[in-house]
Amino acid sequence: LLRIRSRFQFSKRRQFVGTTLILTVVLMATQLDSSGIHPILLLGLVTLSYVMSFLVLRENLSGWAYVTTLTLPAYYSGAVYLFYLLLPTRWLTRLPIAMLYSVGIYAILLTENIYNVAAERNIQLLRAAHSVGFLLTLLTTFFLFDTVVSLHLPFYLNMLLTLVIVFPLELQALWSMELTPGISRTSLIAAACITLLMVELIGVFAFWPIKTTIQALFMTTVFYTLTGMTQQFLVERLFAKTAREFLTVLGLVFILVIISTNWGVGQ
C-alpha cells in the first residue's frame, strides 16, 4: 500500500501544473457556451479555482490565510473570464488570453505557496513573490475595473461592485507583507480607507466623459499607488523617494485622463 501511495504522490510543482491545466481547459470550455448563462459559469469557475487552490495549498494554510491566500486565485479567474466576454468571438484573440491566464494562475499558486512557507520561516524568494503577487493583483484589478465600467451601469452599482472588488484584493495585498496568522489592525483600517476612497472615485467617474479603458487604467493606477505606498509603510520602507515615484506615476496617468476627457460632451 505504501508503494502504491508513493506512486500517486505528486510534487507541489506537478500539482500546480495539473491545477493550471484543468482551470485553463475549463476557462476555454466556458467560451463554447451560447446559452447566456454567464453568471453561473462565472460562479462555477471562481468556485473551482478557490477549491483547487485550497487543495494544493492546504498543507500550510491556517487562520486568515484560508481567506487571504485563496482570494487572488479566485479573483484572477473571475477577472479573466469577464475580460474574455469583452473580446471578439474569435479564438485568434482569445487564445493569447488563455495563455496569459495559464501563466498567471501558475505564478499565483507559486507565489501563494511562498507566502505560506515564509509565514513560518524566512526564505529568499519572498521579495520576488511580493513583486509577482502585486503585479498579478494589478492585472486582476484592471480586468475587473474594465469590465465594470464597460457595462455602463448606474453609479451606485459601480460603487457597490468596486467595494466587492477592492476590499478583498486590498486586504490580501497588505496581508502578504506581514504574513501573520491574523490581519493587523493597521492593515484592516488601511484596506477600509483605500476601499472607501476608490468607491467614491468610481462614483465621480460615472459622471466624467472619459473612455472606459482610460478610466479602468486610472482606477488601477490609484490602486497601485495607494496599495504600494501602504505596503512599503507596513515594512517600514516608505521613504520620500519611494513616495515620489508612486505619486509621479499617478500624476502622469491623471494627465492622460485630463487630455483624453471629452470636455463639454456628455456620456
Side-chain angles (χ1 to χ4, degrees):
L1 290 177
L2 291 175
R3 290 180 178 177
I4 294 176
R5 181 183 177 184
S6 62
R7 290 182 180 179
F8 288 94
Q9 287 181 337
F10 298 99
S11 64
K12 279 283 186 182
R13 287 187 177 273
R14 289 184 178 180
Q15 292 181 45
F16 294 163
V17 170
T19 300
T20 299
L21 290 176
I22 293 173
L23 291 177
T24 303
V25 170
V26 172
L27 175 69
M28 296 178 68
T30 59
Q31 305 310 304
L32 301 176
D33 174 72
S34 58
S35 58
I37 54 174
H38 300 307
I40 297 177
L41 294 176
L42 172 63
L43 180 61
L45 180 61
V46 170
T47 303
L48 180 63
S49 300
Y50 187 93
V51 171
M52 295 198 67
S53 299
F54 166 76
L55 292 176
V56 297
L57 297 170
R58 65 186 183 279
E59 295 178 3
N60 302 106
L61 293 178
S62 62
W64 274 95
Y66 284 101
V67 178
T68 53
T69 301
L70 304 178
T71 295
L72 189 54
Y75 267 64
Y76 179 74
S77 296
V80 174
Y81 173 79
L82 291 172
F83 190 73
Y84 236 38
L85 299 179
L86 301 177
L87 298 176
T89 56
R90 294 178 297 181
W91 286 107
L92 183 62
T93 57
R94 291 183 170 181
L95 281 176
I97 299 298
M99 295 176 61
L100 174 66
Y101 173 76
S102 61
V103 173
I105 197 68
Y106 180 75
I108 288 174
L109 293 175
L110 287 177
T111 299
E112 301 297 346
N113 186 59
I114 292 173
Y115 289 162
N116 290 336
V117 175
E120 300 177 357
R121 65 178 187 273
N122 293 327
I123 57 176
Q124 297 180 349
L125 292 175
L126 181 58
R127 188 170 183 178
H130 282 151
S131 300
V132 174
F134 191 35
L135 176 62
L136 290 170
T137 299
L138 293 176
L139 182 62
T140 301
T141 305
F142 175 77
F143 282 167
L144 291 174
F145 276 131
D146 191 58
T147 302
V148 169
V149 297
S150 296
L151 296 175
H152 300 291
L153 299 172
F155 75 94
Y156 52 87
L157 290 181
N158 283 354
M159 296 173 72
L160 178 61
L161 290 174
T162 299
L163 174 64
V164 175
I165 292 170
V166 174
F167 187 72
L169 289 174
E170 186 67 40
L171 205 59
Q172 65 86 25
L174 299 183
W175 171 85
S176 68
M177 304 303 293
E178 298 180 319
L179 298 177
T180 54
I183 297 177
S184 68
R185 179 182 176 86
T186 303
S187 295
L188 188 60
I189 294 175
C193 292
I194 293 174
T195 301
L196 177 61
L197 179 60
M198 298 201 66
V199 167
E200 294 173 346
L201 188 60
I202 198 73
V204 171
F205 266 113
F207 305 96
W208 195 307
I210 189 175
K211 294 181 180 179
T212 57
T213 303
I214 300 297
Q215 182 177 343
L217 176 62
F218 182 69
M219 291 296 297
T220 305
T221 306
V222 173
F223 182 90
Y224 160 79
T225 302
L226 298 178
T227 305
M229 292 176 64
T230 306
Q231 284 183 330
Q232 297 305 310
F233 172 79
L234 291 175
V235 295
E236 300 180 351
R237 294 178 182 172
L238 184 58
F239 307 114
K241 181 180 178 181
T242 305
R244 283 196 300 268
E245 291 174 353
F246 280 109
L247 294 175
T248 299
V249 173
L250 179 61
L252 292 175
V253 177
F254 183 69
I255 292 174
L256 176 62
V257 170
I258 298 298
I259 294 175
S260 60
T261 299
N262 295 320
W263 299 106
V265 180
Q267 284 185 310

